[in-house]
Amino acid sequence: MDVPFEEGMLSPSAADMRPEPPNSLDLNGGHPQRIKLTAPNINLSLDQSEGSILSDDNLDSPDEIDINVDELDTPDEADSFEYTGHEDPTANKDSGQESESIPEYTAEEEREDNRLWRTVVIGEQEQRIDMKVIEPYRRVISHGGYYGDGLNAIIVFAACFLPDSSRADYHYVMENLFLYVISTLELMVAEDYMIVYLNGATPRRKMPGLGWMKKCYQMIDRRLRKNLKSFIIVHPSWFIRTILAVTRPFISSKFSSKIKYVNSLSELSGLIPMDCIHIPESIIKYDEERSYKRSVRTSCLYNDPELSSMEKDIDMKLKEKP
């Protein structure tokens, strides 16, 4: 049975004259001219009329339909993969030198990085502390043992370990140090406690500012404020006395009554046990120098024949005041 040719199909004469189809792909970069074939008209009706896809003519195998492989539409250069045949080993070597490989992040480095940050909850808010930046200043707060009966803690705050205000990142350091001090205080205190503030051997540039001290007081939990029984300031300077005088309107009268001034370490030892309190060497040296100057001044005062007994009595009364 002869199959009629539809419009757009190749004629037998053209089929006889077509070239032999290639038996391999052209890998040399040649791209023959592309020719698009026009699709034949197809009747999409479901009956078996002539020209329908269900007709007997279309159901037969199209053995006599010839298609030129060379004239098929093939992907262009943008859609095809380029194959060079052989890879140049020097190219990979050069590209490896240009781009540096990403260093591997080991499990040990990951654990170390996690230790550099501490997450704490202060005032019902989660805070993160940069532990690396405050590492040199962590000695500013320490546990000094207990006093009396029970777990009455002694918290020692050494101002000499505070950062220098000349640092470029001073405010960032103090912000993280503030969070560290508050969070550590909450961990150390179980019941009643006292704070021993070591102010000696601290230059003015290391003194905490008024805003920082006020913020510390405001951020202290109500439980810590209530359980604080005494705030002892050792070697008080005029600067500390001035700050406390300025902040008095912002603090309660109960807190003000807990503040005590101590002029020497020997005087401090008469108030609390000193067995577990770590005193920095700079403060011990400072206390010795102050004690020596005081003794020399007292000796000169009593050996001066021009001083009257009334002046000596006044000086003794002033020394007895806290």
Side-chain angles (χ1 to χ4, degrees):
M1 178 178 178
D2 296 333
V3 179
F5 287 93
E6 298 292 339
E7 184 180 356
M9 298 181 62
L10 299 177
S11 62
S13 59
D16 296 338
M17 299 176 62
R18 69 179 183 272
E20 291 294 331
N23 55 9
S24 63
L25 294 177
D26 185 6
L27 303 180
N28 296 325
H31 298 281
Q33 185 178 2
R34 296 172 295 171
I35 301 177
K36 294 186 178 180
L37 298 178
T38 304
N41 297 328
I42 300 176
N43 185 6
L44 299 180
S45 61
L46 298 180
D47 55 5
Q48 295 186 358
S49 61
E50 183 178 358
S52 172
I53 58 175
L54 298 180
S55 63
D56 295 336
D57 295 339
N58 290 332
L59 293 177
D60 295 338
S61 59
D63 296 335
E64 299 180 3
I65 298 178
D66 297 328
I67 299 177
N68 189 351
V69 178
D70 295 336
E71 296 177 353
L72 292 178
D73 189 13
T74 58
D76 54 12
E77 296 179 359
D79 298 331
S80 62
F81 295 95
E82 296 184 358
Y83 177 76
T84 58
H86 299 283
E87 294 183 357
D88 188 4
T90 60
N92 294 334
K93 183 177 180 180
D94 295 340
S95 62
Q97 294 176 353
E98 294 177 359
S99 60
E100 297 181 358
S101 59
I102 300 176
E104 183 180 356
Y105 193 51
T106 63
E108 181 63 27
E109 292 174 342
E110 184 176 359
R111 286 192 296 268
E112 182 66 23
D113 184 65
N114 290 333
R115 284 195 293 266
L116 299 180
W117 292 88
R118 176 185 295 180
T119 302
V120 297
V121 177
I122 300 176
E124 298 182 355
Q125 292 185 356
E126 188 175 279
Q127 306 282 352
R128 292 193 61 181
I129 305 175
D130 188 346
M131 300 300 294
K132 183 177 181 180
V133 76
I134 67 170
E135 179 64 29
Y137 314 110
R138 292 177 60 181
R139 292 180 296 172
V140 72
I141 186 171
S142 60
H143 200 294
Y146 300 93
Y147 70 97
D149 299 331
L151 299 176
N152 301 320
I154 301 175
I155 308 301
V156 181
F157 189 95
C160 60
F161 292 133
L162 287 172
D164 197 310
S165 59
S166 61
R167 285 186 56 134
D169 57 347
Y170 176 74
H171 294 289
Y172 177 77
V173 175
M174 290 297 288
E175 180 70 20
N176 284 271
L177 189 60
F178 158 75
L179 297 175
Y180 174 76
V181 169
I182 298 299
S183 60
T184 305
L185 188 61
E186 293 181 350
L187 294 175
M188 290 181 175
V189 174
E191 298 178 1
D192 295 342
Y193 70 104
M194 69 167 57
I195 294 179
V196 177
Y197 185 90
L198 301 177
N199 184 69
T202 304
R204 176 64 184 87
R205 63 182 183 274
K206 287 190 175 184
M207 291 285 187
L210 177 60
W212 191 84
M213 297 184 69
K214 179 181 177 182
K215 187 177 180 180
C216 282
Y217 178 77
Q218 292 175 343
M219 290 295 292
I220 292 178
D221 186 76
R222 184 179 180 275
R223 176 183 68 88
L224 295 178
R225 295 186 191 180
K226 181 180 179 181
N227 293 351
L228 178 62
K229 298 306 177 183
S230 181
F231 190 87
I232 303 176
I233 301 178
V234 184
H235 303 132
S237 62
W238 66 267
F239 178 75
I240 289 295
R241 293 176 183 269
T242 303
I243 286 183
L244 292 176
V246 173
T247 57
R248 190 176 297 274
F250 304 101
I251 59 179
S252 63
S253 57
K254 292 183 179 180
F255 180 79
S256 299
S257 62
K258 299 175 182 179
I259 299 176
K260 297 180 181 179
Y261 296 107
V262 174
N263 295 314
S264 64
L265 296 177
S266 60
E267 186 179 349
L268 178 64
S269 62
L271 299 176
I272 59 174
M274 301 285 290
D275 300 338
C276 300
I277 296 180
H278 173 69
I279 306 296
E281 291 295 331
S282 59
I283 294 182
I284 294 177
K285 184 177 180 181
Y286 176 83
D287 182 76
E288 292 175 350
E289 292 177 354
R290 279 177 60 101
S291 299
Y292 175 76
K293 291 179 180 179
R294 188 181 299 109
S295 63
V296 171
R297 180 176 178 272
T298 302
S299 176
C300 292
L301 180 65
Y302 283 95
N303 293 331
D304 191 346
E306 297 181 358
L307 290 176
S308 63
S309 58
M310 182 179 297
E311 292 175 336
K312 295 180 181 179
D313 293 339
I314 293 175
D315 186 73
M316 287 295 297
K317 291 180 180 180
L318 291 175
K319 290 175 62 65
E320 293 176 356
K321 288 185 178 182

